Amino acid sequence: QVHLVESGGGLVQTGGSLRLSCLDSGSIFSIRGMGWYRQAPGKQRELVADITAGGIAYYTDFAKGRFTISRDSAKRTTFLQMNGLKPEDTAVYYCRIRGVRVDDDYWGQGTQVTVSS
């Protein structure tokens, strides 16, 4: 079982920055990747960025050039640096860890990000 705790959300003005953190604990056989997702009110949850265990990052189009995903494996923490925030980035942000085993798929409880115009 793996437990994920996100932090770093908050209220920021347009153009501002936030750094989200996701601390994982517990036991997982082998990590395949970590991801950040978001869900705005009335919308489906969507991928923001993903990073493989080998450090290869993938970004959704709206995140490219503004957001950076990274992982400190020694600290078991995954980060999402968000710059140039826009009101449309307002959402609850969730982290996810996926293992090589199909059942090893865990989500955090989410952290609220609100961008004011």
Side-chain angles (χ1 to χ4, degrees):
Q1 189 74 19
V2 174
H3 188 53
L4 303 176
V5 178
E6 301 100 331
S7 61
L11 174 64
V12 65
Q13 292 185 334
T14 297
S17 299
L18 285 173
R19 189 192 195 202
L20 306 184
S21 299
C22 175
L23 174 65
D24 64 88
S25 60
S27 177
I28 188 168
F29 176 68
S30 180
I31 295 175
R32 185 157 60 95
M34 302 287 299
W36 282 98
Y37 294 72
R38 71 184 188 184
Q39 187 167 18
K43 296 187 177 181
Q44 289 189 334
R45 191 172 298 188
E46 61 181 350
L47 175 67
V48 177
D50 184 85
I51 186 166
T52 68
I56 298 173
Y58 167 83
Y59 298 93
T60 304
D61 283 347
F62 63 77
K64 290 178 182 177
R66 297 191 300 133
F67 297 176
T68 303
I69 188 171
S70 61
R71 175 162 174 84
D72 184 334
S73 295
K75 296 182 178 179
R76 300 187 64 170
T77 304
T78 304
F79 302 98
L80 184 68
Q81 177 67 43
M82 304 188 294
N83 300 325
L85 284 163
K86 306 174 183 179
E88 52 263 43
D89 295 318
T90 295
V92 177
Y93 284 70
Y94 299 88
C95 70
R96 178 188 186 190
I97 185 170
R98 294 169 291 118
V100 296
R101 295 174 171 168
V102 173
D103 290 343
D104 283 339
D105 190 345
Y106 303 96
W107 292 83
Q109 83 290 346
T111 185
Q112 177 70 47
V113 171
T114 303
V115 184
S116 63
S117 57

Short mmCIF file of all heavy atoms in Angstrom, two decimals, residues 39-45:
data_model
loop_
_atom_site.label_atom_id
_atom_site.label_comp_id
_atom_site.label_asym_id
_atom_site.label_seq_id
_atom_site.Cartn_x
_atom_site.Cartn_y
_atom_site.Cartn_z
N GLN A 39 -8.35 18.57 -11.75
CA GLN A 39 -9.78 18.52 -12.03
C GLN A 39 -10.42 19.84 -11.62
O GLN A 39 -10.40 20.21 -10.44
CB GLN A 39 -10.45 17.37 -11.28
CG GLN A 39 -11.90 17.16 -11.65
CD GLN A 39 -12.44 15.83 -11.15
OE1 GLN A 39 -11.87 15.20 -10.25
NE2 GLN A 39 -13.54 15.39 -11.73
N ALA A 40 -10.94 20.52 -12.61
CA ALA A 40 -11.65 21.77 -12.37
C ALA A 40 -13.13 21.46 -12.13
O ALA A 40 -13.63 20.42 -12.56
CB ALA A 40 -11.48 22.70 -13.57
N PRO A 41 -13.85 22.37 -11.46
CA PRO A 41 -15.27 22.13 -11.20
C PRO A 41 -16.06 21.87 -12.48
O PRO A 41 -15.93 22.60 -13.45
CB PRO A 41 -15.72 23.44 -10.54
CG PRO A 41 -14.49 23.99 -9.93
CD PRO A 41 -13.37 23.63 -10.85
N GLY A 42 -16.82 20.79 -12.48
CA GLY A 42 -17.64 20.47 -13.63
C GLY A 42 -16.90 19.84 -14.79
O GLY A 42 -17.50 19.60 -15.85
N LYS A 43 -15.63 19.58 -14.61
CA LYS A 43 -14.83 19.00 -15.69
C LYS A 43 -14.22 17.66 -15.26
O LYS A 43 -14.13 17.36 -14.08
CB LYS A 43 -13.72 19.96 -16.12
CG LYS A 43 -14.24 21.25 -16.73
CD LYS A 43 -13.10 22.08 -17.29
CE LYS A 43 -13.61 23.34 -17.97
NZ LYS A 43 -12.50 24.16 -18.53
N GLN A 44 -13.79 16.91 -16.26
CA GLN A 44 -13.16 15.63 -15.96
C GLN A 44 -11.72 15.84 -15.51
O GLN A 44 -11.09 16.85 -15.85
CB GLN A 44 -13.19 14.74 -17.21
CG GLN A 44 -14.56 14.22 -17.57
CD GLN A 44 -14.51 13.19 -18.68
OE1 GLN A 44 -13.59 13.18 -19.50
NE2 GLN A 44 -15.49 12.30 -18.71
N ARG A 45 -11.22 14.88 -14.77
CA ARG A 45 -9.82 14.93 -14.37
C ARG A 45 -8.95 14.76 -15.61
O ARG A 45 -9.23 13.92 -16.46
CB ARG A 45 -9.52 13.83 -13.35
CG ARG A 45 -8.18 13.95 -12.68
CD ARG A 45 -8.03 12.94 -11.55
NE ARG A 45 -9.03 13.15 -10.50
CZ ARG A 45 -9.01 12.49 -9.34
NH1 ARG A 45 -8.07 11.59 -9.10
NH2 ARG A 45 -9.94 12.74 -8.44
#
